[in-house]
Amino acid sequence: MTGTRKAVAALFLLPAFVLLGALVVYPIGYSVVRSLYDQSGDGFAGFDNYRALFTDDGIRTALRNNVVWVVFAPTVATALGLVFAVLTERVRWGTAFKLVVFMPMAISMLAAGIIFRLVYDQDPDKGVANAVWVGVHDTFAQSSAFPKAHPGRESPLRPAGGGAFVTREPVRAGEPVALPLVGVAPDRMPDSARRAAPPRPEPGKVTGTAWQDFTRGKGAGTPGGVDASELGYAGMRIEAVRDGRVVASTTAADDGTFTLPAAADGALLRLPADNFREPYNGADWLGPALVTPAIIGAYVWMWAGFAMVLIAAGLAGVPRELLEAARVDGANEWQVFRRVTVPLLAPVLAVVTVTLMINVLKVFDLVFIIAPGSSQDDANVLALELYRKGFSEDQPGVASAISVFLLLLVIPVMWFNIRRLRREVRR
């Protein structure tokens, strides 16, 4: 009877063993064998392909980036999952919050990569990340609206160095000053700009107008004169400088007019370089310096919900009596969290972290989709390099060596995870 049961059990397990052998064991064995042969597959190369893992610049960059991924991505995702799991226990809408945080897990890596490729777009009008970044920057350091403005022909202004412009002659009180500039497209003028007004004299004061000296249409407008359709440089900064020192300053009104006190009499008028500074265009998220952290951010967005759900399940099993006892003994909430909650959740945190470490060792989709061609080499990881060597550069031997190396990296982490799970089951 026992033999019959074993035969029945083996019969039921046979399909699983066949699939396991066909889909796992055979590919692993073939990769190990193929990694020992040259590019053509006919000549035995020994460990030459494995030597390339530490001599090829692309593979070394991938190794370095994989280290960054393994260290930071699981740690940040687990930490956020822990914070979310603890905080959602204390709010009435915790279930809805968990649903929102976990929702990215329902999105494929391909879709997430496309989403974050748009999020990290350099243009603040398209990329959400730069729209926020530029908004915060401009709150504290307003960008200029006139980065292309400059004096035209026969202008009373001349370059003063550093991007500033200064009048050729000193100004006099009671004598209006015209400061015509060109170079700003009409559709790029500030929304607050109004029709330029001719400067009007005021006794004891220096007055003038700074405006865009350009009128559409052939023969329309008078160079150096304020025409009806021309706009004033709203917000233009004007300084009166004498002996290298600013004695007075003001800002042009919406129609470009400005007024300086009597202290400006006999001084030169200067348009500071800040008026012509290029507008801040945000961070280059997908450039060589930030591309890996940016992609890790996308990964954390997806997997923090996974960590939160597992940690919340572990948190539900924590004895509440221990938490209340700590509070009765005088511990504040931070001490309860650090000295009681986290140690009790240590097994769950370890499982989550190790699971994510295994996952990030194989990350491919996000890097391949998010990183543009110009910085893909800088964002390279082992799985992506495996694909490139095997399919783009026609080096199947090196690609097989990378796959075997990845397997060797994953096995110890998997062994640690399985051992910990068995230990928990024995308890």
Side-chain angles (χ1 to χ4, degrees):
M1 189 67 177
T2 303
T4 304
R5 287 182 177 178
K6 288 182 178 179
V8 173
L11 187 62
F12 276 102
L13 289 173
L14 182 61
F17 280 127
V18 171
L19 288 175
L20 186 66
L23 301 179
V24 178
V25 178
Y26 173 74
I28 291 175
Y30 181 81
S31 295
V32 172
V33 174
R34 186 65 183 84
S35 68
L36 300 175
Y37 284 81
D38 60 14
Q39 181 175 329
S40 65
D42 298 325
F44 185 76
F47 291 97
D48 289 346
N49 292 325
Y50 291 94
R51 194 175 295 112
L53 299 180
F54 305 98
T55 57
D56 184 276
D57 290 338
I59 300 177
R60 286 194 296 179
T61 300
L63 280 170
R64 184 171 61 251
N65 287 337
N66 264 102
V67 172
V68 174
W69 272 89
V70 169
V71 171
F72 290 100
T75 304
V76 175
T78 304
L80 284 177
L82 174 62
V83 172
F84 291 156
V86 172
L87 292 181
T88 49
E89 278 205 334
R90 300 174 177 273
V91 294
R92 296 176 59 183
W93 39 270
T95 302
F97 181 81
K98 288 179 181 178
L99 177 64
V100 172
V101 175
F102 188 75
M103 196 175 295
M105 284 295 298
I107 302 175
S108 68
M109 286 282 196
L110 172 65
I114 294 172
I115 290 170
F116 274 87
R117 183 66 181 268
L118 295 174
V119 167
Y120 292 134
D121 195 288
Q122 180 68 41
D123 186 353
D125 294 331
K126 298 179 182 177
V128 175
N130 264 344
V132 175
W133 194 257
V134 170
V136 172
H137 174 274
D138 288 352
T139 300
F140 300 98
Q142 185 66 37
S143 295
S144 167
F146 321 110
K148 304 296 184 183
H150 60 275
R153 296 178 180 177
E154 300 180 3
S155 173
L157 295 166
R158 60 177 176 81
F165 300 102
V166 66
T167 54
R168 299 178 185 275
E169 302 293 337
V171 295
R172 298 297 176 187
E175 297 180 5
V177 181
L179 300 179
L181 294 166
V182 296
V184 180
D187 59 346
R188 302 297 296 177
M189 291 291 286
D191 294 337
S192 60
R194 298 291 179 265
R195 183 178 298 175
R200 296 182 179 179
E202 289 188 30
K205 295 182 179 180
V206 174
T207 59
T209 300
W211 82 99
Q212 173 73 359
D213 189 23
F214 175 83
T215 301
R216 290 182 180 275
K218 184 177 180 180
T222 303
V226 178
D227 298 307
S229 60
E230 294 172 346
L231 299 176
Y233 278 120
M236 176 73 74
R237 183 78 176 169
I238 298 105
E239 297 175 343
V241 181
R242 182 185 292 112
D243 299 327
R245 185 170 59 91
V246 177
V247 295
S249 63
T250 188
T251 301
D254 291 347
D255 60 2
T257 59
F258 61 89
T259 302
L260 290 164
D265 184 40
L268 296 174
L269 295 191
R270 182 175 65 188
L271 305 182
D274 287 349
N275 288 316
F276 314 104
R277 184 180 59 243
E278 288 288 339
Y280 184 65
N281 203 36
D284 188 8
W285 299 105
L286 299 182
L290 295 176
V291 63
T292 294
I295 299 173
I296 290 176
Y299 177 89
V300 170
W301 175 78
M302 290 191 68
W303 287 86
F306 168 82
M308 177 194 66
V309 170
L310 293 188
I311 295 171
L315 192 60
V318 172
R320 302 298 162 179
E321 299 81 9
L322 296 178
L323 303 180
E324 293 302 326
R327 294 188 180 99
V328 170
D329 287 342
N332 56 37
E333 291 302 319
W334 169 246
Q335 290 172 326
V336 171
F337 173 76
R338 187 165 60 92
R339 300 292 181 86
V340 181
T341 304
V342 172
L344 290 174
L345 288 175
V348 179
L349 296 176
V351 170
V352 172
T353 304
V354 172
T355 302
L356 293 179
M357 287 174 65
I358 295 172
N359 188 267
V360 300
L361 280 171
K362 303 178 294 180
V363 68
F364 166 79
D365 318 58
L366 286 178
V367 180
F368 182 72
I369 297 167
I370 295 178
S374 59
S375 60
Q376 198 170 84
D377 288 341
D378 300 283
N380 200 10
V381 290
L382 285 174
L384 176 59
E385 186 64 14
L386 186 157
Y387 168 81
R388 295 168 72 174
K389 293 293 185 187
F391 297 97
S392 299
E393 301 178 21
D394 194 23
Q395 299 183 40
V398 177
S400 298
I402 295 174
S403 66
V404 174
F405 183 67
L406 269 176
L407 177 64
L408 294 177
L409 291 178
V410 170
I411 285 176
V413 184
M414 291 180 62
W415 175 80
F416 175 81
N417 212 14
I418 293 171
R419 185 180 177 185
R420 177 171 285 278
L421 287 173
R422 287 179 175 173
R423 191 183 306 156
E424 291 299 318
V425 170
R426 292 194 195 103
R427 292 180 182 177

